[in-house]
């Protein structure tokens, strides 16, 4: 059975074009959402997925009706494939029930995987290069060496920790992280 899914981002947009294309593609049931593709909670999509059975075909008018990221689309279609459900995108000419459609989809998946690995590789190389230049990641320290020395002196002179933290522009936990209460005795 062909089960269709149509989505528009806003209530002002119209589902007619998608609905007609899905009907023409012989979808027995069509589920719809009028919400952003970024949202994960899409009732129409959830209902469509509940009705899909092994051997069925999940049909969309266009890939971008399912989601925004290539990785998300690939994960989605891979999950369908695991459940032995075919996928068809009408305007993108993808049909995983055919050898050519599966090949095209797997090429897309391979490219997405390579892209993810290249990003990780570039990130690691960038971090290594920064490390060699003496840079470390993360936020700048809020407690500099001069602030630590000032705090120790103020605390030694009996100024309350709350007041010292306020004067230095840090929280009390930050003050105690750098100057533990046990070291003040």
């Amino acid at each position: 059975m062909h089960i269709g899914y149509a989505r528009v981002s806003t209530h002002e947009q119209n589902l007619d074009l998608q609905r007609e294309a899905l009907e023409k593609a012989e979808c027995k049931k069509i589920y719809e959402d009028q919400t952003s593709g970024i949202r994960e909670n899409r009732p129409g999509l959830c209902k469509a997925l509940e009705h899909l059975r092994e051997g069925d075909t999940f049909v969309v008018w266009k890939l971008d009706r399912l989601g925004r990221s290539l990785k998300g689309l690939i994960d989605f279609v891979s999950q369908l494939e695991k459940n032995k459900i075919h996928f068809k995108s009408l305007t993108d000419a993808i049909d995983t029930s055919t050898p050519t459609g599966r090949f095209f989809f797997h090429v897309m998946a391979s490219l997405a995987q390579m892209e993810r690995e290249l990003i990780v590789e570039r990130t690691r190389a960038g971090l290594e290069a920064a490390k060699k230049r003496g840079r470390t990641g993360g936020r700048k320290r809020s407690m500099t060496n001069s602030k630590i020395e000032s705090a120790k002196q103020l605390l030694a002179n009996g100024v309350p920790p709350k007041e010292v933290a306020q004067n230095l522009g840090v929280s009390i936990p930050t003050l105690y992280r750098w100057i533990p209460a046990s070291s003040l005795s």
Side-chain angles (χ1 to χ4, degrees):
M1 178 186 333
H2 283 60
I3 294 181
Y5 176 68
R7 183 189 63 79
V8 291
S9 298
T10 66
H11 290 283
E12 291 80 33
Q13 293 173 321
N14 194 320
L15 286 162
D16 292 344
L17 175 68
Q18 293 179 54
R19 194 179 298 121
E20 287 172 19
L22 293 169
E23 288 169 357
K24 192 174 179 180
E26 300 177 2
C27 291
K28 301 292 182 227
K29 294 182 180 180
I30 298 172
Y31 296 91
E32 302 171 353
D33 280 318
Q34 291 185 324
T35 185
S36 170
I38 295 173
R39 289 192 56 200
E40 294 204 16
N41 181 19
R42 292 184 259 167
L45 180 59
C46 291
K47 286 180 186 174
L49 294 175
E50 287 173 10
H51 283 89
L52 287 166
R53 301 292 176 254
E54 186 177 317
D56 286 350
T57 301
F58 182 71
V59 185
V60 294
W61 179 65
K62 192 171 179 134
L63 278 174
D64 69 355
R65 299 298 84 202
L66 274 181
R68 300 271 174 126
S69 75
L70 181 59
K71 182 194 180 319
L73 290 170
I74 288 169
D75 292 346
F76 181 85
V77 176
S78 295
Q79 188 59 45
L80 290 178
E81 199 173 65
K82 282 182 188 172
N83 295 326
K84 295 183 173 60
I85 297 167
H86 303 295
F87 173 76
K88 189 173 192 173
S89 174
L90 301 175
T91 60
D92 300 303
I94 296 173
D95 183 351
T96 63
S97 68
T98 68
T100 306
R102 280 191 300 277
F103 171 76
F104 180 71
F105 181 75
H106 286 290
V107 167
M108 282 178 42
S110 296
L111 289 171
Q113 177 64 34
M114 185 180 86
E115 180 185 21
R116 283 192 296 274
E117 289 173 5
L118 287 173
I119 289 169
V120 168
E121 193 175 289
R122 285 192 300 264
T123 302
R124 283 189 187 134
L127 289 171
E128 279 298 315
K131 199 175 199 177
K132 287 178 183 174
R133 291 190 311 269
R135 306 242 357 202
T136 55
R139 285 178 64 180
K140 271 192 164 182
R141 288 178 34 184
S142 59
M143 289 291 283
T144 61
N145 290 336
S146 63
K147 280 186 177 182
I148 292 170
E149 288 306 312
S150 297
K152 284 180 180 178
Q153 288 176 358
L154 289 169
L155 291 166
N157 290 333
V159 178
K162 185 176 180 180
E163 198 174 309
V164 172
Q166 279 180 331
N167 288 338
L168 296 175
V170 297
S171 67
I172 294 174
T174 299
L175 178 67
Y176 282 132
R177 190 175 312 118
W178 290 95
I179 308 166
S182 61
S183 70
L184 299 174
S185 304

